[in-house]
Amino acid sequence: MEYKAGIGYDIHRLVEGRKLFLGGVEIPYAKGLLGHSDGDAAMHALCDALLGALALGDIGEHFPDTDPQYKGAAGSLLLKKVKTLVDKSGYRINNIDIVVIAQEPGLSPFKKQMKENICGLLDITQDRVNIKAKTNEGLGPVGNKEAIATYALVSLVKGG
Ligand SMILES: [Zn+2]
C-alpha cells in the first residue's frame, strides 16, 4: 500500500471544575472536558485516526481508562506515544485534517497554537495540518454546550 487513511472521532462531556484542553492548548472557559485523561477530544480523535491508518486498533486499547498511569494524561503525551508507532510503521504522515465542534467557547483564536502543537509533536511541517473549528448550530448535546466533539482524518504515505 502506497497510502493509508484513518478516521477518528471523540466526544467528551463539559463539566465544571476541569480545565479545558483541546489540541494541547489550555483554553480559558468556565468548564472543562470530563475524562480519565485530560479529556482532550482533539488529540484523542487524532490518535485514533493515526491508529486507524496503521490498522492498530483504537486509543482505548493502547491507553485503557482503567490504567492509573493515564489518569489525567495530557493528550500531547498520548499523541507522542502514537507517533512512535507511526515511526516504526515505515509510513510517514502525509496530511491531517481536524474538525473541532464546540458551541462554546469560540476556538478560532486557538487554532494556530493547536496546529503548532500538533506539528511540533509529530515533527511535521504546518502545510500538512489543517484545523477547523465550528459550532453545532445549537443542536444536540454539543450545541447545548454539554460536550465538545472532534473528527480527525489522516493520510499516511509509504516511506520513513
Ligand atoms: Zn477522549
Side-chain angles (χ1 to χ4, degrees):
M1 278 185 279
E2 188 71 16
Y3 288 95
K4 293 178 171 211
I7 186 171
Y9 169 77
D10 197 26
I11 186 167
H12 282 261
R13 186 183 292 273
L14 276 168
V15 295
E16 279 170 16
R18 298 265 299 181
K19 288 181 174 177
L20 176 59
F21 291 97
L22 284 167
V25 183
E26 186 179 336
I27 294 167
Y29 189 54
K31 294 180 175 183
L33 294 171
L34 184 64
H36 181 69
S37 67
D38 70 350
D40 189 329
M43 287 301 201
H44 297 172
L46 176 54
C47 286
D48 255 352
L50 289 163
L51 291 170
L54 295 169
L56 287 177
D58 63 44
I59 196 172
E61 296 170 34
H62 290 265
F63 313 111
D65 64 7
T66 49
D67 189 334
Q69 72 168 306
Y70 299 119
K71 186 169 165 54
S76 53
L77 175 86
L78 305 186
L79 185 62
K80 255 199 258 183
K81 287 180 180 269
V82 171
K83 182 189 184 295
T84 65
L85 301 173
V86 177
D87 291 344
K88 275 191 261 179
S89 72
Y91 285 77
R92 58 188 167 79
I93 293 165
N94 184 53
N95 79 305
I96 292 171
D97 195 13
I98 295 173
V99 186
V100 187
I101 312 163
Q103 197 65 36
E104 275 183 10
L107 299 176
S108 291
F110 306 100
K111 287 195 295 185
K112 185 169 177 284
Q113 203 190 331
M114 288 184 207
K115 181 170 170 163
E116 285 171 4
N117 284 351
I118 289 165
C119 290
L121 289 162
L122 295 175
D123 194 22
I124 54 177
T125 51
Q126 294 206 13
D127 59 335
R128 296 185 183 277
V129 177
N130 189 65
I131 299 188
K132 309 188 198 73
K134 56 189 294 157
T135 72
N136 216 36
E137 295 291 338
L139 296 164
V142 173
N144 285 332
K145 305 170 207 169
E146 293 167 29
I148 290 178
T150 302
Y151 293 93
L153 187 133
V154 308
S155 69
L156 307 181
V157 63
K158 198 162 195 163

